[in-house]
Amino acid sequence: MISLSHSPKSRLGVHLLGMWICECSCGGVSASSYDHSRLMSSWNLPSELCPCRGPSSPIPDCLTSWKDYYEWRHIPFCSPASLLLHWPLTIFRAIQLATLESLLPEFANELRIHYLGPERELLQLVIFGELQALFPGVKLYIDLVGPAIPNVRDGEKIDLCTYAQCNDMGCECQSSADSYRERVDTRLSSAITLRLHAGCYHDCYRELLQDSFPHIIIAPNAGVAAYKSWIPTLEVIKDLKVPAVFSDYCEEACHLAASCIRSVTGYAPRIPIQINPFRQPLCVEESALYLPCYSNCFMFGL
């Protein structure tokens, strides 16, 4: 569907620009070395290639592929938007799976998520504004926890009530941004609240639980079997008895992670290992594994 290998980001005008800055393996700028002090708010794309406004129709009952999503949001299949949107769509898929397995407690107007291990997302946080379209009428609180969060941003709160903007000056999304600033000035509530926490989950979860007991824990591209620091975090998740959904770059990594989780918690996955229909549709280059790898490619949960 989306063939960026034949339509390079440089030709689209987004190479090393804004939120796209760490989506390239050319040796440009990595997420860890970039200045995280300001929130990037633009797609750097024209309006016809990105979802810069709310949807024109209700969310479909069956939203299970990029094709479904692109058609619902009226985006052409040549758009590279999915290269960034896989973050919020993976959250959406995780909640879909937990709901199907009856693991997620009922929620109506509010959903609290603990999101573990963000890295590249820290340069792309405005993309999480798309969750407004995916969970209409629901107030989302997302606590992002991980060692990649700079200490200077520890405790930072980000309110989102608009979508990432296109670069068309006459587009209504530009006026939406003005409306957002007015709402912030008048301290009205936003649709999505992000909070950043530097460090590992097992070191700071007690403080988080004072304000935000999660409905679900989501760990994208977790690499559970690759990092020993996951062991105490898995013990915490076991004790919390909260549904947790993990993703990884390939199926083999998920099998290794599931084995590691079973050895620590004694639990096998309740959500079986399966391909994520909303994985990033661009193969990871220079992977250490001799397997096809994609960001958020496979998922499972317990």
Side-chain angles (χ1 to χ4, degrees):
M1 181 184 76
I2 301 164
S3 55
L4 285 198
S5 58
H6 302 293
S7 180
K9 291 185 283 292
S10 57
R11 196 166 70 197
L12 291 166
V14 296
H15 184 238
L16 297 182
L17 187 64
M19 294 187 292
W20 304 93
I21 201 163
C22 57
E23 293 300 327
C24 186
S25 61
C26 68
V29 181
S30 67
S32 60
S33 64
Y34 194 75
D35 178 11
H36 295 78
S37 60
R38 63 186 181 89
L39 182 68
M40 298 180 186
S41 61
S42 175
W43 279 103
N44 291 294
L45 290 170
S47 59
E48 63 268 18
L49 293 182
C50 60
C52 61
R53 303 177 297 277
S56 58
S57 60
I59 185 169
D61 292 333
C62 184
L63 190 66
T64 57
S65 69
W66 281 121
K67 181 177 183 294
D68 294 340
Y69 173 80
Y70 267 51
E71 289 177 346
W72 171 51
R73 294 297 263 133
H74 302 290
I75 306 171
F77 291 157
C78 63
S79 168
S82 58
L83 297 187
L84 304 184
L85 285 167
H86 68 103
W87 299 120
L89 268 294
T90 293
I91 292 176
F92 173 75
R93 182 60 178 170
I95 292 168
Q96 270 189 332
L97 294 175
T99 301
L100 288 171
E101 293 291 333
S102 302
L103 299 179
L104 190 65
E106 290 187 12
F107 65 92
N109 302 320
E110 182 178 292
L111 180 60
R112 295 182 177 270
I113 300 169
H114 286 182
Y115 186 100
L116 310 189
E119 293 182 357
R120 291 185 176 188
E121 302 98 308
L122 299 174
L123 298 180
Q124 302 163 345
L125 291 174
V126 73
I127 293 298
F128 286 78
E130 184 64 15
L131 292 168
Q132 299 170 84
L134 296 165
F135 297 99
V138 178
K139 169 70 176 178
L140 279 86
Y141 297 90
I142 305 177
D143 286 277
L144 297 95
V145 187
I149 295 174
N151 288 329
V152 294
R153 299 193 72 180
D154 186 31
E156 181 179 337
K157 178 182 174 183
I158 300 166
D159 291 318
L160 300 174
C161 62
T162 60
Y163 298 85
Q165 301 168 36
C166 69
N167 57 8
D168 294 347
M169 293 307 297
C171 181
E172 66 183 65
C173 72
Q174 306 293 331
S175 60
S176 296
D178 294 336
S179 173
Y180 166 69
R181 283 187 283 270
E182 292 173 4
R183 293 183 66 180
V184 171
D185 291 342
T186 56
R187 297 188 178 183
L188 296 177
S189 63
S190 60
I192 300 165
T193 296
L194 310 177
R195 289 194 307 170
L196 307 184
H197 308 272
C200 294
Y201 190 65
H202 55 268
D203 290 327
C204 58
Y205 77 97
R206 290 185 179 88
E207 182 180 347
L208 267 69
L209 295 182
Q210 293 176 6
D211 300 320
S212 170
F213 196 91
H215 292 94
I216 188 170
I217 294 170
I218 299 174
N221 295 329
V224 169
Y227 301 100
K228 290 183 178 180
S229 58
W230 269 108
I231 294 175
T233 289
L234 293 173
E235 292 170 344
V236 168
I237 292 174
K238 175 186 176 183
D239 292 340
L240 290 179
K241 295 180 172 60
V242 171
V245 178
F246 303 82
S247 76
D248 223 311
Y249 288 95
C250 66
E251 186 176 11
E252 176 66 14
C254 283
H255 281 289
L256 293 171
S259 176
C260 179
I261 290 171
R262 189 181 297 110
S263 68
V264 173
T265 67
Y267 297 143
R270 281 280 303 277
I271 300 172
I273 295 170
Q274 57 196 274
I275 197 162
N276 176 14
F278 298 113
R279 62 195 176 278
Q280 188 183 49
L282 190 65
C283 190
V284 175
E285 298 179 18
E286 300 177 0
S287 169
L289 300 173
Y290 294 103
L291 294 168
C293 293
Y294 298 81
S295 184
N296 290 318
C297 190
F298 281 81
M299 306 176 73
F300 69 98
L302 42 118

